[in-house]
Amino acid sequence: MKYTFSILLLTLIFIGCREDKNLIFETSVFDNELCSNCATVTISVPKAMGNKKLDEVINNTLREEVIFILKYDDEVNANSIDSAIQSFQNEYTKLREKFPEESTLWEASINGAVTYENDRILTIRLDYYLFTGGAHGYGSTRFLNFDKTKAAELGNEELFKDIVDFQGFAEAKFREQENIPTSQAINSTGFMFEDDVFYLPENIGFTNEGLQLFYEQYEVASYADGPIILNLPFEEIQQYLIPQTF
């Protein structure tokens, strides 16, 4: 009986240790004052709730990304999301004062969510939309990948054993998805890769289905084409990923 109880206790401890490897998040919401002369800003991003270095790295990286997206006024020392919102509002106010009859309402929305997590890798996706006048707004996506064991953000090249080798595989999949013959140049069907050479997008991140390559509007195609997305299942990319990632 004691032996059975000991085995059960060890099993529960083991399960608990495994569960502790998952990070705890809550949603942080930011916005600005609602008024007739105010830009519209809505932000919803995850916040890591632990006290470890990894939690700090994640939260700092998210804050810096949001500031980068919003900051317009260089005179404002935007070191927080609230001050970045104020920077966005200040620039809109300046525009209204200069062109009171022509300025249209500015808008910014940023939404973040965890798209993948295992014992080693965490991926957060930020979807954002900005409208600052003109014919249309601009929307895009940023992926943030973290190595949980090192408490560090990962660059794209750090996701793969050999990024050049992976790029060759990705090009073959891209051509297959977009119906581009292997005998023809990558831009032969209307894409706009610089120098007519395939390359990986700046935004690469993991989801529960696999790896997503996200080409922003204008990155390799026209605005009308929208973002170009290539999803690669885990079983197809396993050999290209850094060891012990999955």
Side-chain angles (χ1 to χ4, degrees):
M1 183 67 178
K2 289 183 179 180
Y3 177 77
T4 302
F5 176 77
S6 297
I7 293 296
L8 177 60
L9 180 61
L10 289 173
T11 300
L12 292 174
I13 292 174
F14 176 73
I15 293 173
C17 289
R18 288 181 59 85
E19 290 177 347
D20 287 343
K21 293 182 179 180
N22 289 329
L23 298 171
I24 298 175
F25 290 92
E26 72 172 18
T27 301
S28 292
V29 177
F30 303 82
D31 54 26
N32 63 331
E33 181 182 357
L34 295 177
C35 68
S36 59
N37 295 325
C38 295
T40 301
V41 181
T42 56
I43 300 169
S44 176
V45 292
K47 179 180 180 180
M49 297 304 296
N51 296 316
K52 298 179 181 178
K53 180 182 178 182
L54 174 60
D55 301 278
E56 180 181 358
V57 168
I58 292 169
N59 292 333
N60 287 342
T61 301
L62 282 167
R63 184 182 68 251
E64 290 171 1
E65 286 293 330
V66 172
I67 291 173
F68 179 80
I69 293 170
L70 286 180
K71 186 177 177 182
Y72 271 78
D73 188 349
D74 291 334
E75 295 180 2
V76 175
N77 182 21
N79 54 14
S80 68
I81 292 179
D82 286 327
S83 59
I85 292 174
Q86 186 60 52
S87 171
F88 189 81
Q89 173 62 43
N90 289 350
E91 195 65 21
Y92 173 63
T93 300
K94 290 179 183 179
L95 183 67
R96 283 187 61 90
E97 291 174 350
K98 189 173 183 179
F99 305 104
E101 297 179 358
E102 299 181 13
S103 58
T104 56
L105 184 66
W106 280 20
E107 178 183 351
S109 64
I110 304 173
N111 293 285
V114 174
T115 59
Y116 185 81
E117 182 179 9
N118 67 7
D119 289 348
R120 180 170 181 179
I121 299 294
L122 172 77
T123 297
I124 294 176
R125 171 174 169 152
L126 287 179
D127 294 308
Y128 68 95
Y129 173 81
L130 299 175
F131 179 76
T132 55
H136 50 71
Y138 177 76
S140 191
T141 292
R142 294 181 187 272
F143 280 108
L144 306 174
N145 300 296
F146 299 90
D147 186 327
K148 294 170 62 177
T149 63
K150 297 180 179 179
E153 185 180 4
L154 290 169
N156 289 342
E157 68 282 354
E158 297 176 280
L159 301 176
F160 309 102
K161 298 175 184 176
D162 185 333
I163 195 168
V164 175
D165 190 26
F166 173 75
Q167 182 170 298
F169 167 78
E171 178 175 358
K173 288 296 182 179
F174 186 92
R175 285 176 175 273
E176 180 181 331
Q177 174 178 288
E178 302 297 332
N179 298 312
I180 306 172
T182 56
S183 59
Q184 297 182 18
I186 194 68
N187 290 339
S188 61
T189 61
F191 284 98
M192 300 184 295
F193 285 91
E194 187 175 351
D195 297 326
D196 209 3
V197 176
F198 177 85
Y199 45 79
L200 298 174
E202 294 184 9
N203 288 301
I204 299 176
F206 294 103
T207 70
N208 288 329
E209 287 70 44
L211 187 68
Q212 185 173 111
L213 309 186
F214 187 97
Y215 291 91
E216 300 181 76
Q217 290 172 306
Y218 295 123
E219 191 170 0
V220 296
S222 68
Y223 178 85
D225 290 322
I228 307 299
I229 300 172
L230 178 63
N231 292 301
L232 302 171
F234 283 122
E235 58 268 21
E236 294 184 6
I237 62 173
Q238 185 73 52
Q239 61 180 311
Y240 301 102
L241 300 176
I242 54 177
Q244 300 177 346
T245 301
F246 301 98

